[in-house]
Amino acid sequence: MNWFDSSALSLAVFLPLAGALVLIAIPNGRDGRSRDGLVKGVALLFTLLPLLVGVVMLARFDYGAGRAMQFEVKRSWIAAVGANYHLGVDGISLPLLVLSLLLSFLCVIYSWSNLPAPGRPRAFLGLLLVLETGMNGTFSALDLILFFVFWELVLIPMYFLIALWGGPRRDYASVKFILYTLIGSVIMLLGFLALWYRSSPDAATRTFDMLALQGVGGTRFAGTFGTVAFAAIGLGFAVKVPVWPLHTWLPDAHTEAPTVGSVLLAGVLLKMGTYAFVRIGLPILPDAARTWAPVLGILGAIAIIYGALCCLAQRDIKRLIAYSSVGHMGFVMLGIATLTPIGINAAVFGMVAHGVITGMLFFLAGSVHERYHTRDIRELGGGMASSLPRLGGIFTLACIASLGLPGLAGFWGEILALVAAWNPASALSLPLFRTLAAVGLVGTLLTAGYFLWLLQRVNLGRVPDRWSGRQLGDVATVEYAAWTPLILLIVALGFLPRIILGVTNPAVTGWFANLFK
């Protein structure tokens, strides 16, 4: 299986792109219309194949290898500037890569019978496949320029998914999304170029290789240079997370995006920013990370409270879920800011759990809208558990998982982040981070409040007269197919957190156990 180990990541990254090219090549039928069934089948195949590659990678992964990169491939790419085609994964990146593979596959399943207006499955599914290539590549790249290419690749398909298949304010939301993320990316690229220039006094030996840069970070990137460079790249990462106050593009993008666009935006794209802090910011610029960690922790704590308070004021289900993402990603940022192995383990676990739970919530919000033709909580009026018991039951499970109920996936990332904030790295202020832990604890109470309020307004009570005589239809077969893996993961990760922590902890300990002492 040596051929597989050297080709697995390339297959996982580029098979979806190959699928998009196949979709372009499929000829129209005799009536001039696209062959929708064939188009959907090809898209399903080219998301299933990368997922199978990911499953085999899980089976062949050495879970005790620590910080060693696996399935690594390195080829010369742009020799003039020291950029390489360098891919590899460890216990930090593998869970996020598999999350991307799984959610992409489930989104194609869901789209089989839930294609948003104006239809056009070839274009819609082709954009999803290109988007998957960008997401998978971001979690696999070990070269800054290659990382930047994949990072930027996700912007174009997501922009068109929102602009062409989005809601009534799609033009505003798509332009806001692309402007925020592009500006952040430009500043981030300047930071990457500064790291390359400072990596060696000899132009011939300068490099964009992440692993090589981590070897010189403590010497050549210290002082004011490192502080400014971390600010530049961190700003680009923070926009993608998004960290408060750079979050304002997120509620609009989520609200106007089609259902699967919201699933991938919340489930995967937001994780690209927090992953980048762990993969690039902390190990390459450790001294600057110590300087900026209190700021990141404070912004994370603000996001926790701000997101929860905004949720309490929402009428649109999707907009409420979007603001909940601001709060949940605040816990991830708080875990990262502690600079401890416990905090970083909590952050990676929180990324995966948030991707699974919030992806499920956006699927549900889309299906509620398909039935009721509204997402307004007041118009829905309650009673969904009576009229649609299966949909109401799954909706309840996803909501109580997101509020952090013990025994479900949302619990472990948040509780471990709070534990880490109570005992941050020795170089950080203990009173400050214990205060942030207390703020985070208040945030968990507010989170429980707005999700219980949502359940009471949507699920409970008597069915309003306007819905009582309608045949809305409970969970469909396609929805069961798309949702069952997420439901199982929500429960499994709650009872067996080792599923993720057993993968992440050796790598996290290898990278960060002694870095910030």
Side-chain angles (χ1 to χ4, degrees):
M1 294 288 284
N2 288 336
W3 66 270
F4 178 85
D5 292 346
S6 61
S7 305
L9 285 175
S10 296
L11 290 172
V13 171
F14 291 109
L15 273 174
L17 184 61
L21 296 176
V22 172
L23 291 184
I24 294 173
I26 294 176
N28 291 330
R30 292 183 179 180
D31 58 357
R33 302 176 64 182
S34 64
R35 300 173 177 177
D36 291 356
L38 178 60
V39 165
K40 293 175 181 178
V42 168
L44 191 65
L45 175 65
F46 279 91
T47 51
L48 175 60
L49 290 176
L51 178 59
L52 293 176
V53 171
V55 171
V56 177
M57 289 173 64
L58 288 173
R60 292 185 57 78
F61 191 78
D62 181 358
Y63 294 95
R67 60 186 284 175
M69 291 295 168
Q70 301 181 49
F71 307 104
E72 192 171 1
V73 55
K74 187 174 183 179
R75 302 283 186 273
S76 179
W77 181 33
I78 310 174
V81 295
N84 297 303
Y85 175 73
H86 190 186
L87 303 178
V89 291
D90 60 0
I92 296 171
S93 51
L94 182 62
L96 296 167
L97 174 61
V98 174
L99 175 68
S100 175
L101 294 167
L102 176 63
L103 284 180
S104 299
F105 175 64
L106 299 181
C107 283
V108 174
I109 292 178
Y110 185 84
S111 300
W112 195 276
S113 60
N114 294 281
L115 201 68
R120 294 154 60 181
R122 187 203 303 264
F124 184 82
L125 296 172
L127 288 170
L128 284 183
L129 290 169
V130 175
L131 180 63
E132 184 182 1
T133 287
M135 297 185 303
N136 296 347
T138 300
F139 296 127
S140 305
L142 294 176
D143 181 275
L144 291 180
I145 292 298
L146 187 64
F147 175 90
F148 181 78
V149 169
F150 288 127
W151 177 280
E152 291 295 282
L153 181 60
V154 305
L155 302 184
I156 302 305
M158 183 56 72
Y159 167 80
F160 282 110
L161 286 172
I162 298 172
L164 299 179
W165 287 272
R169 298 179 71 244
R170 57 183 176 268
D171 292 340
Y172 170 77
S174 59
V175 170
K176 192 174 183 179
F177 164 76
I178 201 76
L179 286 178
Y180 265 78
T181 49
L182 275 178
I183 292 171
S185 296
V186 168
I187 298 172
M188 180 184 75
L189 179 60
L190 292 176
F192 286 172
L193 293 174
L195 293 177
W196 169 81
Y197 184 80
R198 191 67 172 252
S199 64
S200 174
D202 183 3
T205 57
R206 289 173 184 155
T207 183
F208 287 103
D209 189 273
M210 295 181 193
L211 302 183
L213 291 172
Q214 288 164 10
V216 301
T219 55
R220 301 196 61 80
F221 301 152
T224 303
F225 171 84
T227 303
V228 175
F230 190 97
I233 65 174
L235 182 63
F237 302 160
V239 170
K240 189 81 80 177
V241 172
V243 172
W244 181 91
L246 304 172
H247 68 285
T248 58
W249 63 268
L250 179 67
D252 295 307
H254 270 316
T255 304
E256 302 305 322
T259 297
V260 298
S262 295
V263 170
L264 293 177
L265 183 59
V268 184
L269 264 68
L270 304 190
K271 315 304 176 297
M272 291 165 54
T274 45
Y275 168 76
F277 274 109
V278 175
R279 172 61 68 218
I280 299 173
L282 269 58
I284 293 180
L285 297 165
D287 292 337
R290 290 188 188 91
T291 301
W292 284 103
V295 176
L296 297 179
I298 292 169
L299 294 179
I302 292 174
I304 293 169
I305 301 298
Y306 174 85
L309 293 177
C310 287
C311 285
L312 290 169
Q314 300 309 309
R315 291 178 49 183
D316 186 295
I317 292 178
K318 282 187 75 174
R319 201 166 183 88
L320 185 150
I321 300 169
Y323 274 111
S324 77
S325 293
V326 175
H328 289 307
M329 296 308 289
F331 279 102
V332 173
M333 289 303 302
L334 180 59
I336 292 172
T338 66
L339 305 182
T340 62
I342 293 176
I344 295 169
N345 271 311
V348 180
F349 191 101
M351 292 183 226
V352 176
H354 179 265
V356 171
I357 298 170
T358 307
M360 185 75 240
L361 283 169
F362 276 117
F363 272 137
L364 289 162
S367 290
V368 168
H369 186 262
E370 287 287 330
R371 288 159 173 79
Y372 292 92
H373 302 290
T374 182
R375 297 189 305 264
D376 191 295
I377 296 170
R378 294 191 299 185
E379 289 184 20
L380 292 171
M384 190 169 73
S386 299
S387 59
L388 303 172
R390 294 181 180 86
L391 185 64
I394 297 172
F395 187 72
T396 300
L397 174 68
C399 286
I400 63 175
S402 193
L403 64 82
L405 186 74
L408 297 175
F411 174 73
W412 293 106
E414 294 184 5
I415 193 66
L416 290 175
L418 295 178
V419 169
W422 195 256
N423 291 290
S426 57
L428 303 178
S429 168
L430 187 63
L432 170 63
F433 273 84
R434 290 193 169 178
T435 301
L436 298 180
V439 171
L441 184 61
V442 173
T444 63
L445 300 177
L446 292 174
T447 302
Y450 68 73
F451 270 116
L452 292 175
W453 173 85
L454 175 65
L455 285 172
Q456 190 270 330
R457 296 300 178 91
V458 174
N459 257 14
L460 303 182
R462 185 178 63 86
V463 179
D465 293 339
R466 63 179 301 187
W467 308 120
S468 60
R470 301 192 185 186
Q471 296 297 321
L472 300 173
D474 214 333
V475 181
T477 301
V478 167
E479 291 170 330
Y480 275 127
W483 299 349
T484 299
L486 299 181
I487 295 170
L488 294 175
L489 281 171
I490 287 172
V491 177
L493 295 179
F495 280 99
L496 297 170
R498 181 180 173 83
I499 295 173
I500 300 298
L501 296 177
V503 180
T504 63
N505 188 59
V508 168
T509 303
W511 283 111
F512 301 106
N514 300 308
L515 189 60
F516 297 107
K517 285 187 175 180

